[in-house]
Structures are given as C-alpha cells and as structure tokens.
Amino acid sequence: MEPDFTALDSYLAETDTDGYLIDADSDNSDLYYLSGFEAPDPFVALYNGDIHLFFFRSLEYGRAKKEAQADTVKRGSDYNFESLLKEYDTDEARGRVLKAFLDEHGVESIATPPRFPLETADLLRNHDIEVTADDREVITEIRATKKEEEVDHICEAQRANEAAMARAEELIDTAAVDNKGRLVHDESVLTSEQVTKEIELTLLRHGCGLDETIVACGSDAADPHDRGSGPLRAGESIIIDIFPQNKQTKYHADMTRTFCHGEPEDDTLREWYELTQTAKEAAFDAIEPGVTGEAVHAAVCDIYEQAGYPTLRSEPTTETGFIHSTGHGLGLDVHEQPSVSPKGGELHPGHVITVEPGLYDPDIGGVRIEDFVVVTEDGYENLVDYEEQFIIGE
Amino acid sequence: MEPDFTALDSYLAETDTDGYLIDADSDNSDLYYLSGFEAPDPFVALYNGDIHLFFFRSLEYGRAKKEAQADTVKRGSDYNFESLLKEYDTDEARGRVLKAFLDEHGVESIATPPRFPLETADLLRNHDIEVTADDREVITEIRATKKEEEVDHICEAQRANEAAMARAEELIDTAAVDNKGRLVHDESVLTSEQVTKEIELTLLRHGCGLDETIVACGSDAADPHDRGSGPLRAGESIIIDIFPQNKQTKYHADMTRTFCHGEPEDDTLREWYELTQTAKEAAFDAIEPGVTGEAVHAAVCDIYEQAGYPTLRSEPTTETGFIHSTGHGLGLDVHEQPSVSPKGGELHPGHVITVEPGLYDPDIGGVRIEDFVVVTEDGYENLVDYEEQFIIGE
C-alpha cells in the first residue's frame, strides 16, 4: 500500500517542525502504517518527507532492509553505538545515537505521538532537540480514512467473524436446557469459556486471531467489558462481541449480537432489543459525510432518553442504561479514529466506524447490537452481513 | 497473588519521590502486575505504598472496583472531568484531573516507566509535578523474580507449548517428500503457514494464544526473526520457535527446536546442531545465583568462537554466526528482565530465563535450540520437557 502522507507534510509545515518521530514496536499501528514493518521489539521511525528507520540492535536490520517501506534503514553500529556503550551509560549512549540519527537528516525539532516514550523524549531534549507531543495524532487521523484495499482487508476479517458468530449462535441455538435453566450439550453445561474457545478456533481456521472475546450472559452482560464466565442460561440475554484481527493484514472486524435461548425471563429484554435496533437505525440514518460522530451518537442518545432510559449524556455517572459511546473507528486498531461519541468530529468518505448501541442493568442483563459501516460519498455502506435474531433455540 | 513491592518502596525513598505512576493499558505488564486488572483502554495507576487506580471514563470503573488489586478506584467524574471538558480542551482537562488525583494523595513528584506517555508527562509538568523516567525499571525488575505461583503458571503454558511442538514435529516427521524435495501430506505440500496454524489450534485448545510463531525453513531460518513462509523442504533445517501466552494467567512459555526431515543436504547443519547443544550445555553449566547474564552469554560465545564462528562479541556487525543474545527473562512478557546478553546483570533465585543459542547463514540455514530454566538457590532447574532430535522422518 502507498499511504498518502500529505496531511503529515502539512502538519509539519504548519507547526514548523522538521520531522515526526515514533519509537515503539509494531503493535503501534501508527508505526506499522508508516513503516510497513512488523517487529516485536521497539524501533524508531522518522518521517521528514522520506521515511527513515533506525534499529539499536542488528537483529531486525537485514529483514527491515528487505521488507520495510522505508527510504533508509540504519542501525546502532552506523553511529558507533557499541563504542558509546563502553564510554557512557546506556541512556546517554542511546541519546547520542538518536541525536546523530536526527542530525544526519537535518532534524532539530520533532513532533511525536502523544504516547511517545518519555525517556526518549527527555534524552533528545537533553541534546537540544525540540520535542512536542502531537495531540492531534496526525498519523492516526490519516489512518482513519481507509483506502479501498484497507476496506477489503476489514471485510475479509469480517467474513471470518461471521463464521465465528454463526458457530456461537449454533451452540446456543441447538442447546438443551437442564432443570437448573442452564444450556447443555450432551449433558455437559455450555459455558462462556467453551463458546469463546469455539469462536477462537473458528477464527484461527479463517486466518484471524484475537486477544479477547465477549460471551457474557445475564448480569455479566450488564457490564460492557465483562468477558463473561461460567454457565450460559436459558431466558437470559447473551451478548457476543467478537473483534478479530486478520493475522496477515493486521486489520480488524468488530460485530456484536445478543441472543436469548427461549423466551426471555424478563420481558424488558425484548423491549430493549427492539429499542436498540431502533437506536442503531437512527444512527445509520444520521451517517453521511460532513455529519459529526457527535451527532450520530446524539441520535442514539435521543432514542434511549425518549424511551426513558438514562445515558451518559443525561446522567454522566449512571451505571445503567446506555453507558458507552455509540462507536469507534476500525482498522489496524480495534478502537481508532474517528470517534462516534460526544467528542466525535466530522465523518468523511472512507471512514470505517462501528455503530453499537446497547442497554445495561445488572438486575436485568444487557443488550448490544453492533455493525460497522464505511462512510461513502452519499451516505454509508453496512459491511456486516449477519442477521439479527434475539430469541433462538425454540 | 500478593506481589512484594519492598524494592519499589526503597526506590521511592532513595530517589525522594512521592509516587510511581503508570499510564498504559494492561498489555503493559508492569501495570497488570501492579493493578491485577486487565483493561483494553489506557488507565492510570499510582503506587505510593498503596495502589490507587484512575479511569477517565466510567466504562471499566465498576469492574475495577470489583476485580482490581487496589486500595482506591476513582474515575473522571470524581474530579469533575465532564465540566472541565466544557471549560478547557481535552488535554488541559486531562491535566487538571490528573493533578487533582495526585493532589488527593499528596503526590508532588513521580517516577514513571521509561516508556510512560510523553503527553501525560508534559501535562503534569505544566502543573508543577516533578516527573522522572525511571531508567532502572523497578517494577520490571521486581517482576523478574518469580514467586512459586508464577513459575507454575509458566510451566502450565509450557505444557501447552510441548503439545503444540509435538504436533508440529509429527507433521514434519510423517510427511512424504515429492520429486521437488518438498514435504507433502496426502499429495498437498506442507507449508510453514500450515504448521503454524496447527500449532496455534493446539495452543488454543490448551488455553493459550500467541501473536506469532516461527516455522522457518532453509534460508528463512537464517534470519532469527523471520516467521517463515511457503513449502517446507527435506534436508533443510526447520526452526520452530513457539512462545505462547496462557489466556487466563497471562504468563508465557518459550521453546525452540530445530528439525530436519531426512539427512541434511549440507553436513554443516549437523555440526551446527551438535555445537549448539554444546553451547546450550555451557550456558547451563554457568547458571547459578550471583553469576551474571553476561557471563552466561560469554560461555556461549566462547563455544562458538572457539569453533571458528563469528559472534556479535567478536564481530559486532556480523550477519552470520551467533547473531543474537543467549536469552531473556520470561513471564508476563515474552521478553523481560533479566537479560542473558552482554548487558545481563546478576542472576538470582526465582529468575526465569531462556537459553537459546543458535547459528545462522543464509547459504546454509539456521539452527537454534531453546529451553528455559528457573534459577534456584544452588543452580537451576530446566522447566522444559521436550527431547532434542534434529533428524526426523527417516
């Protein structure tokens, strides 16, 4: 892929800064996007119109020269790191080497991501480099607008996600119910952990991995970040939220469905489900270029508040009702720009965002439904192909 | 687990610092170790003898109050974050809230991990908090010494690792060879990618995940960080390096074996294998409390250099021979303290370290063998139970 760094060039020009510096490992998506290089240990990337990579140690050097999207690749020995280590302590040696690397490219002032390592910043400041944390996060901002190739990667991850969701739904759908109301297969109780494992095995077979999955039943489902544990029960809501990453492309998908095996014990859940579908449609209706993420979020809050439920907008400390944002950008990170929340800025074509309204109450359970869309010139396209059916297993 | 933070107390006293502050997500092992809390989004932990957690948003607040190992848990609304956001920009509001959080605990000076976010540090400095990056990494240092419970977690991950290695070895061992020298099963060519997938499925069934696996054949194997791709071949060395993480405990294992299906095409490989076994034994012979990681590494370099192979010690820019460190600590991170390298300090009982000598040359291939041990009062205990057999499939 050939990223378009025009916005980064403008940012450096506007702020009168010589270069943009990242010091991270490639779990940092800005670094991966800039360098096209994956490495487990931290390395340094400088953008000053060209892309320059630097590795203190030689281990990744050869592979980076072959694989990275970079104009130059250097390593410690190019700046006498080993001899400096004999003369100075490690930090001072690191500082001198980084200073030499920047000097070589005529860079006296740098902008960095907000989470740039403090120690590296202080070492450079000691060598009179001007270091400013870029609170706009300009590379993250560039990443928010996806090229067609990136949308394809996200859709590929989503096909795996749909296969995994289908497997989870099948397990809940085809379960029997024991005399304690627990779902069972072949006389063994079906747990969150088992469904999670089946989801993960399915994803892996489709080339995707993930760190976490949410399969949360009953009161677990009332906490949006509870991953869930223990037996799944009939008549309670079961939230399944899967956000896999394709191992090759590193792009994510993200989808949530809520199921109930049999009739819900509490009729409120059915009402919540329908209201959440309405809220999701209200969000979709609002999405088009030029509209803000804030406005899309407000459309969801309107629906819930009109129905009498608290939101973080109406009650900032509420622990029940709609207690999170409507959505987030999706790409190399599972949560990235743009935000679909009170702080969400303007949407543009190529933005990929989730829409995931939900309602929560520990006494009742939780309901969340999540799709994601790409913003287009005249609206949006929903990239999720998975039906919504709350009550299954009947 | 009840971590022992005596060394952190001493560090704060010695440096006359009021508290230790971390701002990260729980992929940061220092934060996870300190807080016992797993969260996908960044949060803040302060140690000042007690442990205080802070979340800007409410999403994780309830779960943290229930699950975290913390004396207090606070959130943005406890310090009027929402109203400050109306008055100031996000950064200024964040800075004021963090200042109020520190004020509440009487903290005017903080130490932070070296990779603490620059933006947060600068916000606090603007509010006259003294911020110093702790280049000793004292929490990482504390983590290096494992309690028995942690060693058990690592061993549990290793049993999964051994099952995965056995599956990989079986695939190579039982393969046929086609007329192009490629390994085949049921007439389809066996690739690195397929073996990797089988390893990952096995690990997942044993409760472990991993981001990367190395199954590297021939010239791929000559680059220690090349994950490998494409067909596996008879007569070439195949390096398999697996470093899974147990999903529950978050502790890692790490083991490497090198296999060759049938007789090696280049007899050098057999010599390398035996020499690497000798180097590994030399490292083991050196390991006991009080010995430095540097000395253990030197023992390996001695063996290779005496046999006429370059090492980074004898030739700092060599790209063939022994081109990495001997090993590293293993725990919540797959690479952590202590280092078994030229910069490796003293080993102590409870340190868990890998020993992984190897030789590499793009014209020949690569060989690496890796076990890991826990340092004991009178030496070490090897925690790996997996035989070493280079030539298989005959």
Side-chain angles (χ1 to χ4, degrees), chain A residues 9-66:
Chain A
D9 294 327
S10 308
Y11 175 82
L12 293 175
E14 282 160 24
T15 56
D16 195 19
T17 307
D18 296 336
Y20 200 94
L21 195 74
I22 306 183
D23 170 3
D25 64 32
S26 50
D27 280 349
N28 181 303
S29 296
D30 285 356
L31 179 59
Y32 180 70
Y33 190 84
L34 183 66
S35 68
F37 189 65
E38 211 179 335
D41 297 319
F43 65 99
V44 172
L46 169 69
Y47 179 86
N48 67 343
D50 291 326
I51 299 170
H52 307 283
L53 304 190
F54 173 72
F55 297 81
F56 279 99
R57 299 288 173 185
S58 295
L59 194 57
E60 305 287 4
Y61 172 74
R63 195 167 59 82
K65 281 187 70 147
K66 276 186 288 184

Coordinates of all heavy atoms in Angstrom, one line a residue, chain A residues 9-66:
Chain A
D9 N 2.7 16.0 5.9 CA 3.6 17.1 5.4 C 3.0 18.5 5.8 O 3.8 19.3 6.2 CB 3.6 17.0 3.8 CG 4.3 15.8 3.3 OD1 5.3 15.3 4.0 OD2 3.9 15.2 2.3
S10 N 1.7 18.6 5.6 CA 1.1 19.9 6.0 C 1.3 20.2 7.5 O 1.6 21.3 7.9 CB -0.4 19.9 5.7 OG -0.6 19.5 4.4
Y11 N 1.1 19.1 8.3 CA 1.2 19.3 9.7 C 2.6 19.8 10.1 O 2.7 20.7 10.9 CB 0.9 18.0 10.4 CG 1.1 18.0 11.9 CD1 0.1 18.5 12.8 CD2 2.3 17.5 12.5 CE1 0.3 18.5 14.2 CE2 2.5 17.5 13.8 CZ 1.5 18.0 14.7 OH 1.7 18.0 16.0
L12 N 3.6 19.1 9.5 CA 5.0 19.5 9.8 C 5.2 21.0 9.4 O 5.9 21.8 10.1 CB 6.0 18.6 9.2 CG 6.0 17.1 9.7 CD1 6.9 16.2 8.9 CD2 6.3 17.1 11.2
A13 N 4.7 21.3 8.2 CA 4.9 22.7 7.7 C 4.2 23.7 8.6 O 4.8 24.7 9.0 CB 4.4 22.8 6.3
E14 N 2.9 23.4 9.0 CA 2.1 24.3 9.8 C 2.8 24.5 11.2 O 2.7 25.6 11.7 CB 0.7 23.8 10.0 CG -0.2 23.9 8.9 CD -1.4 23.0 9.0 OE1 -1.7 22.5 10.1 OE2 -2.0 22.6 7.9
T15 N 3.3 23.5 11.7 CA 3.9 23.6 13.1 C 5.4 23.9 13.0 O 6.0 23.9 14.1 CB 3.7 22.2 13.9 OG1 4.3 21.2 13.1 CG2 2.2 22.0 14.1
D16 N 5.9 24.1 11.8 CA 7.3 24.4 11.7 C 8.2 23.4 12.4 O 9.1 23.8 13.2 CB 7.6 25.8 12.2 CG 8.9 26.4 11.7 OD1 9.4 25.8 10.7 OD2 9.4 27.3 12.3
T17 N 7.9 22.1 12.1 CA 8.6 21.0 12.8 C 9.4 20.3 11.7 O 8.8 20.0 10.6 CB 7.6 20.1 13.5 OG1 6.8 20.9 14.4 CG2 8.3 19.0 14.3
D18 N 10.6 19.8 12.0 CA 11.4 19.2 11.0 C 11.0 17.8 10.7 O 11.2 17.3 9.5 CB 12.9 19.2 11.4 CG 13.5 20.5 11.6 OD1 13.0 21.5 10.9 OD2 14.5 20.7 12.4
G19 N 10.5 17.1 11.7 CA 10.2 15.6 11.4 C 9.2 15.1 12.5 O 9.0 15.7 13.5
Y20 N 8.7 13.9 12.1 CA 7.8 13.2 13.0 C 8.5 11.9 13.4 O 8.9 11.2 12.6 CB 6.5 12.9 12.3 CG 5.3 12.6 13.2 CD1 4.4 13.6 13.5 CD2 5.0 11.3 13.7 CE1 3.3 13.4 14.3 CE2 3.9 11.1 14.5 CZ 3.1 12.2 14.8 OH 2.0 11.9 15.6
L21 N 8.6 11.7 14.7 CA 9.4 10.6 15.2 C 8.5 9.6 16.0 O 7.7 10.0 16.9 CB 10.5 11.1 16.1 CG 11.6 10.0 16.4 CD1 12.5 9.8 15.1 CD2 12.5 10.5 17.6
I22 N 8.6 8.3 15.7 CA 7.9 7.3 16.5 C 9.0 6.3 17.1 O 9.9 6.0 16.4 CB 6.9 6.5 15.6 CG1 5.9 7.5 15.0 CG2 6.1 5.5 16.5 CD1 4.9 6.8 14.1
D23 N 8.8 6.0 18.3 CA 9.7 5.0 19.0 C 8.7 4.0 19.6 O 8.1 4.3 20.7 CB 10.6 5.7 20.0 CG 11.3 4.7 20.9 OD1 11.2 3.5 20.7 OD2 12.0 5.2 21.8
A24 N 8.6 2.8 19.0 CA 7.6 1.9 19.5 C 7.8 0.5 18.9 O 8.8 0.4 18.1 CB 6.2 2.4 19.1
D25 N 7.1 -0.5 19.2 CA 7.1 -1.7 18.4 C 5.9 -1.7 17.5 O 5.1 -0.8 17.5 CB 7.2 -3.0 19.3 CG 5.9 -3.1 20.1 OD1 4.8 -2.7 19.7 OD2 6.0 -3.7 21.2
S26 N 5.8 -2.7 16.6 CA 4.8 -2.6 15.5 C 3.4 -2.9 16.0 O 2.5 -2.9 15.2 CB 5.3 -3.4 14.3 OG 5.6 -4.7 14.7
D27 N 3.2 -3.2 17.3 CA 1.9 -3.2 17.8 C 1.3 -1.8 17.8 O 0.1 -1.6 17.8 CB 1.9 -3.7 19.3 CG 1.9 -5.2 19.4 OD1 1.8 -5.8 18.4 OD2 2.1 -5.7 20.5
N28 N 2.2 -0.8 17.7 CA 1.8 0.6 17.5 C 1.4 0.7 16.0 O 2.2 0.6 15.1 CB 3.0 1.5 17.8 CG 2.6 2.9 17.7 OD1 2.2 3.4 16.6 ND2 2.7 3.7 18.8
S29 N 0.1 0.9 15.8 CA -0.4 0.9 14.4 C 0.1 2.1 13.6 O 0.3 2.0 12.4 CB -1.9 0.9 14.4 OG -2.4 -0.3 15.0
D30 N 0.4 3.3 14.2 CA 1.0 4.4 13.5 C 2.3 4.0 12.9 O 2.7 4.3 11.8 CB 1.1 5.6 14.4 CG -0.2 6.3 14.7 OD1 -1.2 5.9 14.1 OD2 -0.2 7.3 15.5
L31 N 3.1 3.3 13.8 CA 4.4 2.9 13.3 C 4.3 1.8 12.2 O 5.0 1.9 11.2 CB 5.2 2.3 14.5 CG 6.6 1.8 14.2 CD1 7.5 2.9 13.6 CD2 7.3 1.2 15.4
Y32 N 3.4 0.9 12.3 CA 3.2 -0.1 11.3 C 2.8 0.5 10.0 O 3.2 0.2 8.9 CB 2.3 -1.2 11.8 CG 2.0 -2.3 10.8 CD1 3.1 -3.2 10.5 CD2 0.8 -2.4 10.1 CE1 2.9 -4.2 9.6 CE2 0.7 -3.4 9.2 CZ 1.7 -4.3 8.9 OH 1.5 -5.3 7.9
Y33 N 1.8 1.5 10.1 CA 1.3 2.1 8.9 C 2.4 2.9 8.2 O 2.5 2.9 7.0 CB 0.2 3.1 9.4 CG -0.6 3.7 8.3 CD1 -1.7 3.0 7.8 CD2 -0.4 5.0 7.9 CE1 -2.5 3.6 6.8 CE2 -1.2 5.6 6.9 CZ -2.3 4.9 6.4 OH -3.0 5.4 5.4
L34 N 3.2 3.6 9.0 CA 4.3 4.4 8.5 C 5.4 3.6 7.8 O 5.9 3.9 6.8 CB 4.9 5.3 9.6 CG 6.0 6.3 9.2 CD1 5.4 7.4 8.3 CD2 6.6 7.0 10.4
S35 N 5.8 2.5 8.5 CA 7.0 1.7 8.1 C 6.7 0.5 7.3 O 7.5 -0.1 6.6 CB 7.8 1.3 9.4 OG 7.0 0.3 10.1
G36 N 5.4 0.0 7.4 CA 5.1 -1.3 6.8 C 5.9 -2.4 7.3 O 6.0 -3.5 6.7
F37 N 6.4 -2.2 8.5 CA 7.3 -3.3 9.1 C 6.9 -3.7 10.4 O 6.5 -2.9 11.3 CB 8.8 -2.7 9.2 CG 9.8 -3.7 9.5 CD1 10.1 -4.7 8.6 CD2 10.5 -3.7 10.8 CE1 11.0 -5.7 9.0 CE2 11.4 -4.6 11.1 CZ 11.7 -5.7 10.2
E38 N 6.9 -5.1 10.6 CA 6.4 -5.7 11.8 C 7.6 -6.2 12.6 O 8.4 -7.0 12.1 CB 5.5 -6.9 11.5 CG 4.5 -7.1 12.5 CD 3.6 -8.3 12.1 OE1 3.5 -8.6 10.9 OE2 3.0 -8.9 13.0
A39 N 7.8 -5.7 13.9 CA 8.9 -6.2 14.7 C 8.4 -6.3 16.1 O 7.7 -5.4 16.6 CB 10.1 -5.3 14.5
P40 N 8.9 -7.3 16.9 CA 8.4 -7.4 18.2 C 9.0 -6.4 19.2 O 8.4 -6.1 20.2 CB 8.8 -8.9 18.6 CG 9.9 -9.2 17.7 CD 9.7 -8.4 16.4
D41 N 10.2 -6.0 18.9 CA 10.9 -5.1 19.8 C 10.9 -3.7 19.2 O 10.7 -3.4 18.0 CB 12.4 -5.5 19.9 CG 12.5 -6.9 20.6 OD1 11.7 -7.1 21.5 OD2 13.3 -7.7 20.1
P42 N 11.0 -2.7 20.1 CA 10.8 -1.3 19.7 C 11.9 -0.9 18.6 O 13.0 -1.4 18.7 CB 11.0 -0.5 21.0 CG 10.6 -1.4 22.0 CD 11.1 -2.7 21.6
F43 N 11.5 -0.1 17.7 CA 12.4 0.6 16.8 C 11.9 2.0 16.5 O 10.9 2.4 17.0 CB 12.6 -0.2 15.5 CG 11.4 -0.4 14.6 CD1 11.2 0.4 13.5 CD2 10.5 -1.4 14.9 CE1 10.1 0.3 12.7 CE2 9.4 -1.5 14.0 CZ 9.2 -0.7 12.9
V44 N 12.7 2.7 15.8 CA 12.5 4.2 15.6 C 12.2 4.5 14.1 O 12.9 3.9 13.3 CB 13.7 5.0 16.1 CG1 13.6 6.4 15.8 CG2 13.9 4.8 17.6
A45 N 11.2 5.3 13.9 CA 10.9 5.7 12.5 C 10.8 7.2 12.5 O 10.1 7.8 13.4 CB 9.6 5.1 12.0
L46 N 11.5 7.8 11.5 CA 11.4 9.3 11.3 C 10.8 9.6 10.0 O 11.2 9.0 9.0 CB 12.9 9.8 11.3 CG 13.1 11.3 10.9 CD1 12.5 12.2 11.9 CD2 14.5 11.6 10.7
Y47 N 9.8 10.5 10.0 CA 9.2 10.9 8.7 C 9.6 12.4 8.6 O 9.4 13.2 9.4 CB 7.7 10.8 8.7 CG 7.1 11.3 7.5 CD1 7.0 10.5 6.4 CD2 6.7 12.6 7.3 CE1 6.5 10.9 5.2 CE2 6.2 13.1 6.1 CZ 6.1 12.3 5.0 OH 5.6 12.7 3.8
N48 N 10.3 12.7 7.5 CA 10.6 14.1 7.1 C 10.4 14.3 5.6 O 11.1 15.0 5.0 CB 12.0 14.5 7.6 CG 13.1 13.7 6.8 OD1 12.8 12.7 6.1 ND2 14.3 14.2 6.8
G49 N 9.3 13.7 5.1 CA 9.1 13.7 3.7 C 9.5 12.3 3.2 O 8.8 11.7 2.4
D50 N 10.6 11.9 3.6 CA 11.1 10.5 3.4 C 10.9 9.7 4.8 O 10.7 10.3 5.8 CB 12.5 10.4 3.0 CG 12.7 11.0 1.6 OD1 11.8 10.8 0.8 OD2 13.7 11.6 1.4
I51 N 11.0 8.4 4.7 CA 10.8 7.5 5.8 C 12.2 6.9 6.2 O 12.8 6.2 5.3 CB 9.8 6.4 5.6 CG1 8.4 7.1 5.3 CG2 9.7 5.5 6.8 CD1 7.4 6.1 4.8
H52 N 12.7 7.1 7.4 CA 13.9 6.6 7.8 C 13.7 5.7 9.1 O 13.2 6.2 10.0 CB 14.9 7.7 8.2 CG 15.0 8.7 7.1 ND1 15.8 8.5 6.0 CD2 14.5 10.0 6.9 CE1 15.7 9.6 5.2 NE2 14.9 10.5 5.7
L53 N 14.2 4.5 9.0 CA 14.1 3.6 10.2 C 15.4 3.4 10.9 O 16.5 3.4 10.2 CB 13.6 2.2 9.7 CG 12.3 2.2 9.0 CD1 11.8 0.7 8.8 CD2 11.2 3.0 9.6
F54 N 15.3 3.2 12.2 CA 16.6 3.0 12.9 C 16.4 1.9 14.0 O 15.4 1.9 14.7 CB 17.0 4.3 13.6 CG 18.1 4.1 14.5 CD1 19.4 3.8 14.0 CD2 18.0 4.1 15.9 CE1 20.5 3.6 14.9 CE2 19.0 3.8 16.8 CZ 20.3 3.5 16.2
F55 N 17.3 1.0 14.0 CA 17.3 -0.1 15.0 C 18.6 0.0 15.8 O 19.7 0.0 15.3 CB 17.3 -1.4 14.3 CG 16.1 -1.6 13.4 CD1 16.0 -1.1 12.1 CD2 15.0 -2.4 13.9 CE1 14.8 -1.2 11.4 CE2 13.9 -2.6 13.1 CZ 13.8 -2.0 11.9
F56 N 18.4 0.0 17.2 CA 19.6 0.0 18.0 C 20.4 -1.3 17.8 O 21.6 -1.2 17.7 CB 19.3 0.2 19.5 CG 19.0 1.6 19.9 CD1 17.7 2.1 20.0 CD2 20.0 2.5 20.1 CE1 17.4 3.4 20.3 CE2 19.8 3.8 20.4 CZ 18.5 4.2 20.5
R57 N 19.7 -2.4 17.7 CA 20.4 -3.7 17.6 C 20.3 -4.2 16.1 O 19.4 -3.7 15.4 CB 19.8 -4.7 18.5 CG 19.9 -4.3 20.0 CD 21.4 -4.5 20.4 NE 21.6 -3.9 21.8 CZ 22.8 -3.9 22.4 NH1 23.9 -4.2 21.8 NH2 22.9 -3.4 23.6
S58 N 21.1 -5.1 15.8 CA 21.1 -5.6 14.4 C 20.1 -6.6 14.0 O 19.9 -6.9 12.8 CB 22.5 -6.2 14.1 OG 23.5 -5.2 14.2
L59 N 19.4 -7.2 15.0 CA 18.6 -8.4 14.8 C 17.6 -8.2 13.6 O 17.4 -9.1 12.8 CB 17.9 -8.7 16.1 CG 17.2 -10.1 16.2 CD1 18.2 -11.2 15.9 CD2 16.6 -10.3 17.5
E60 N 16.9 -7.1 13.6 CA 15.9 -6.9 12.6 C 16.4 -6.1 11.3 O 15.6 -5.9 10.4 CB 14.7 -6.0 13.2 CG 14.1 -6.6 14.4 CD 13.3 -7.8 14.2 OE1 13.2 -8.3 13.0 OE2 12.7 -8.3 15.2
Y61 N 17.6 -5.7 11.4 CA 18.2 -4.8 10.4 C 18.0 -5.4 9.0 O 17.5 -4.8 8.0 CB 19.6 -4.5 10.7 CG 20.4 -3.7 9.7 CD1 20.1 -2.4 9.5 CD2 21.3 -4.3 8.9 CE1 20.8 -1.6 8.5 CE2 22.1 -3.6 8.0 CZ 21.8 -2.3 7.8 OH 22.5 -1.6 6.9
G62 N 18.5 -6.6 8.8 CA 18.5 -7.2 7.5 C 17.1 -7.4 6.9 O 16.8 -7.1 5.8
R63 N 16.2 -7.9 7.8 CA 14.8 -8.1 7.3 C 14.2 -6.7 7.0 O 13.4 -6.6 6.0 CB 14.0 -8.8 8.4 CG 12.7 -9.4 8.0 CD 12.2 -10.4 9.0 NE 11.9 -9.8 10.3 CZ 10.8 -9.1 10.6 NH1 9.9 -8.9 9.7 NH2 10.7 -8.6 11.8
A64 N 14.5 -5.7 7.8 CA 13.9 -4.4 7.5 C 14.4 -3.8 6.2 O 13.6 -3.2 5.4 CB 14.3 -3.4 8.7
K65 N 15.6 -4.0 5.9 CA 16.2 -3.5 4.6 C 15.4 -4.2 3.4 O 15.2 -3.6 2.4 CB 17.7 -3.8 4.5 CG 18.5 -2.8 5.3 CD 20.0 -2.9 5.0 CE 20.4 -2.5 3.7 NZ 21.7 -1.9 3.7
K66 N 15.0 -5.5 3.6 CA 14.3 -6.2 2.6 C 12.8 -5.8 2.5 O 12.3 -5.6 1.5 CB 14.4 -7.7 2.8 CG 15.7 -8.3 2.3 CD 15.6 -9.9 2.4 CE 15.8 -10.3 3.8 NZ 15.8 -11.8 4.0

